[in-house]
Every structure is written in C-alpha cells, then in structure tokens.
C-alpha cells in the first residue's frame, strides 16, 4: 500500500509541475453511511432439521466511513483530483444450539467431516482505496455542464471471518482470511445542472478495470477430547490474480454554496459501489466462490476553496 501511495503522489506532481504556481486547491471530506451486501456468496453454514433445510447468510448493517482529498483546478486543460476512501463494517451471526445439525460451508470445516449443533461468527470487511483523476469541464448549455474523467484506482479490500462451531463435547474454530489488492485505469463522466445560483444537481458514473490479486487462507482447528476426539488442523490456501476486474461507482446528489460563504460547499447524495467477482471464499460447493460486493448509502460532503 505504501508503494501504491508513493506511485500515485509521484504521478500527481509530474502532471501538476507545469502549472505548479497557478492552481486553485480545494480540500474536501465526505462522511459515508453505507451498507455492504454479498448475498448469496456469503453463505457460511447449512442447518438441517426434520422440518428445515436452510443456508445461513451474513447480513451487514449500516456503518460509517469517510473520503478525503484535494481537487486542483489548474489553468491548463485538465483538473486533478486525489483522494482516499476508507470504509469498514462487521457483522455478528449466531445459530443457537438446538435439535438440528449445523454443517460448515467453508472448505476446511466441511472437509473435517464434523457436524455441530450451533455456531457463532464475526465477519468484517475493510476497504481502502486511493484515486487519482484528471478531468475537464465542458459547458453544453447555459446551466448544464459535463466533465469526462480518466484516472487510476488502487487499493485493498480485506475480509476476516472468525467462526466457532459448537458441539456437545468441544468447540472447534475456523478462521477465513481474504486479502485483495488491485490497481487499474478508471474512466467516467459526471454532469452538473445549476438549478439556482447556489444550488446544483450532480450525477456521475465511473468504471474501473483493475488487475487484482487475492490471497485466501482457511484454517479449521478441532481440539482434543481425551479418548474421544483427536485434535486436527486443516488448512486451505488459495492465491490468484485476474485482469480486468470491474468496479462501478454511481453517485447522484445536490451541492449547495451559500452566498454569504461562497468558498464553502456542502453536498448530500446517494452512492452505489459495485465490485464484480470480489468475494473469493473457499466453500465446498465451488472452490472458490465468485460473488459480488455491493456498497450503497448516503454521502455528506464538505469542501473549502483555497484561493
């Protein structure tokens, strides 16, 4: 991640050098309130009873994140934007001990052949992305403008899953880690409609095509019960890369700049992120899964023109 940051910052200075003394800098920060979804790729256990056969998914709630960076409006053709996005979320799930059978879905747990009567789990996701973008505004009507964009997106998405499988005589544990990093070109277009002198309607759509690498590890551990159960550890490892992984980002919202404070901009909106084939987890049904990660929710933005 440090190499990625250094690479992007070097590009920024190289692009910006010809107009280093003729730009308008606008720092901004955004509060993100989003919900993650990975269904149906987030199945982690199967419950079997006389009147039930169901697969258990993990549901994530609403969590806060942030985005912050700088926009440099130059006197040359292209404006430059550099920013960092961070979002993390976690979820707790539980299958109470009862008169049913619980079968692990992850590969190492399923390979053990052990069957349980209950389970509990914690699943967390952490995303860190850095974007460097160049764009230029074209006025196509009196109050309407379009801004094509080209850039580079790179960063990490890490998932950690800790599960306790509950039997009568012992509790087994299973830890699954999925660490992803990727980088690639980003293309998009945004539009703005000046509703009034101080209020603007904004919308954007961007697509990144990233080279990415996944490092996945699944470790199942069963303790010893003297004379009854032997201890065991089963480890499944996977790593692989893919070229052209698709990431989409859509935004729609409003921006307001009060007359009394013309350098201040406040915005609210809705954002959707779609990461195709992001979920690569080792399950017994398919090894690995190829599930999608979706993030959606509200954004609240504050920026300040420094000129």
């Amino acid at each position: 991640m440090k190499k990625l940051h250094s690479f992007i910052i070097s590009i920024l200075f190289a692009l910006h050098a010809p107009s280093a003394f003729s730009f308008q800098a606008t720092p901004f920060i955004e509060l993100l309130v989003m919900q993650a979804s990975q269904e149906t790729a987030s199945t982690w256990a199967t419950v079997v009873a006389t009147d039930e056969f169901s697969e258990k998914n993990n549901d994530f709630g609403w969590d806060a994140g942030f985005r912050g960076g700088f926009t440099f409006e130059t006197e040359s053709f292209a404006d430059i934007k550099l920013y960092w996005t961070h979002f993390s979320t976690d979820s707790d799930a539980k299958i109470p001990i009862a008169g049913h059978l619980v079968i692990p879905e992850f590969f190492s747990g399923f390979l053990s052949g052990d069957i349980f009567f209950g389970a509990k789990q914690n699943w967390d996701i952490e995303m860190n992305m850095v974007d460097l973008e160049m764009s230029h505004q074209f006025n196509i009507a009196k109050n309407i403008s379009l801004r094509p964009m080209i850039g580079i997106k790179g960063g990490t998405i890490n998932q950690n899953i800790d599960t306790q499988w509950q039997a009568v005589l012992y509790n087994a544990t299973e830890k699954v880690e999925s660490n992803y990093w990727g980088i690639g070109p980003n293309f998009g277009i945004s539009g703005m409609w000046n509703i009034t002198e101080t209020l603007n309607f904004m919308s954007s759509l961007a697509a990144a095509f990233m080279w990415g690498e996944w490092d996945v590890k699944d470790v199942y551990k069963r303790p010893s019960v003297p004379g009854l159960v032997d201890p065991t550890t089963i480890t499944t490892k996977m790593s692989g890369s893919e070229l052209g992984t698709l990431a989409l980002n859509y935004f729609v919202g409003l921006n307001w700049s009060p007359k009394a404070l013309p350098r201040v901009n406040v915005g609210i909106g809705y954002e959707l992120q779609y990461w195709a084939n992001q979920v690569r987890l080792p399950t017994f049904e398919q090894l690995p899964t190829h599930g999608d990660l979706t993030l959606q929710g509200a954004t609240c933005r504050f920026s300040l023109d420094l000129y």
Side-chain angles (χ1 to χ4, degrees), residues 3-303:
K3 292 182 179 179
L4 177 62
H5 287 178
S6 300
F7 174 69
I8 293 177
I9 291 173
S10 299
I11 293 178
L12 174 63
F13 280 113
L15 292 171
H16 194 58
S19 57
F21 300 97
S22 56
F23 65 84
Q24 174 185 323
T26 304
F28 67 89
I29 186 169
E30 294 183 47
L31 172 65
L32 311 176
V33 181
M34 309 188 81
Q35 183 181 39
S37 175
Q38 298 184 132
E39 296 183 9
T40 57
S42 57
T43 301
W44 62 279
T46 299
V47 176
V48 181
T50 54
D51 59 347
E52 177 187 10
F53 184 93
S54 62
E55 293 185 336
K56 298 300 181 182
N57 260 279
N58 207 288
D59 298 322
F60 295 92
W62 294 88
D63 287 280
F66 70 88
R67 178 182 294 121
F70 288 86
T71 299
F72 300 94
E73 298 181 9
T74 71
E75 293 183 357
S76 60
F77 181 79
D79 298 330
I80 300 171
K81 187 177 180 181
L82 176 65
Y83 58 93
W84 169 37
T85 303
H86 170 81
F87 178 76
S88 62
T89 183
D90 71 325
S91 176
D92 293 315
K94 184 176 182 180
I95 303 174
I97 296 176
H100 52 220
L101 302 179
V102 178
I103 303 171
E105 284 272 348
F106 297 129
F107 192 77
S108 292
F110 179 80
L111 197 63
S112 72
D114 296 334
I115 296 176
F116 303 91
F117 302 100
K120 58 182 180 180
Q121 182 193 86
N122 176 263
W123 190 323
D124 70 76
I125 303 173
E126 182 176 5
M127 180 183 73
N128 287 284
M129 288 290 154
V130 177
D131 287 80
L132 174 64
E133 301 173 354
M134 293 195 308
S135 63
H136 182 76
Q137 180 172 302
F138 295 92
N139 297 319
I140 62 173
K142 181 179 180 181
N143 296 321
I144 299 175
S145 61
L146 293 177
R147 182 182 289 272
M149 176 275 292
I150 184 171
I152 299 174
K153 176 186 287 287
T156 62
I157 300 176
N158 296 328
Q159 303 201 39
N160 293 283
I161 308 163
D162 291 300
T163 308
Q164 183 183 87
W165 303 106
Q166 300 169 332
V168 175
L169 300 176
Y170 65 91
N171 291 334
T173 62
E174 188 168 10
K175 183 176 181 63
V176 181
E177 298 178 1
S178 174
N179 298 318
Y180 164 85
W181 74 271
I183 187 170
N186 193 17
F187 307 91
I189 189 169
S190 61
M192 183 171 65
W193 171 33
N194 302 116
I195 302 174
T196 68
E197 185 178 349
T198 60
L199 184 65
N200 302 321
F201 173 80
M202 304 177 67
S203 182
S204 65
L205 177 65
F209 300 91
M210 305 175 69
W211 180 85
E213 183 173 275
W214 286 261
D215 184 14
V216 181
K217 185 178 181 181
D218 176 6
V219 180
Y220 171 87
K221 292 184 178 181
R222 183 181 65 210
S224 172
V225 179
L228 296 174
V229 178
D230 294 327
T232 188
T233 298
I234 301 174
T235 301
T236 304
K237 292 183 179 181
M238 299 184 307
S239 62
S241 60
E242 185 171 318
L243 180 64
T245 302
L246 175 65
L248 295 176
N249 187 289
Y250 172 72
F251 171 82
V252 60
L254 297 171
N255 186 78
W256 177 60
S257 179
K259 287 185 178 181
L261 299 170
R263 297 186 182 183
V264 174
N265 297 278
V266 179
I268 57 172
Y270 167 80
E271 180 174 332
L272 170 67
Q273 296 185 30
Y274 171 75
W275 295 83
N277 294 327
Q278 178 56 227
V279 188
R280 307 291 180 91
L281 299 174
T283 67
F284 78 91
E285 294 178 343
Q286 47 183 342
L287 186 66
T289 58
H290 287 73
D292 303 329
L293 168 64
T294 302
L295 303 174
Q296 64 172 333
T299 70
C300 181
R301 175 187 173 109
F302 175 83
S303 64

